[in-house]
Amino acid sequence: MKREFLKGLGIEDENLISQILDEAGKDLNAKKSEITNLRAEIEVKNRKVL
């Protein structure tokens, strides 16, 4: 999500835009971490199979 997208929705308050982007970033980072952990688990399981 980008600032321009939020402004296009009619949100003009820069503080509000920053808060929205910060919260979206937290969610995104949590999912990236989850993916990294799952990939590591798969790698470990793949080593055990070989």
Side-chain angles (χ1 to χ4, degrees):
M1 185 178 322
K2 296 184 179 186
R3 285 184 186 279
E4 293 78 23
F5 173 75
L6 295 172
K7 287 181 179 182
L9 294 175
I11 301 172
E12 296 296 327
D13 184 331
E14 286 295 327
N15 188 39
L16 180 58
I17 289 173
S18 292
Q19 289 176 348
I20 291 169
L21 292 176
D22 288 346
E23 192 62 31
K26 288 178 191 175
D27 293 340
L28 183 60
N29 288 333
K31 290 299 178 188
K32 284 181 180 179
S33 178
E34 184 179 345
I35 289 168
T36 299
N37 291 337
L38 290 171
R39 284 183 176 158
E41 285 181 36
I42 290 169
E43 193 65 34
V44 167
K45 289 180 182 182
N46 283 341
R47 286 188 205 138
K48 289 181 181 178
V49 171
L50 299 176

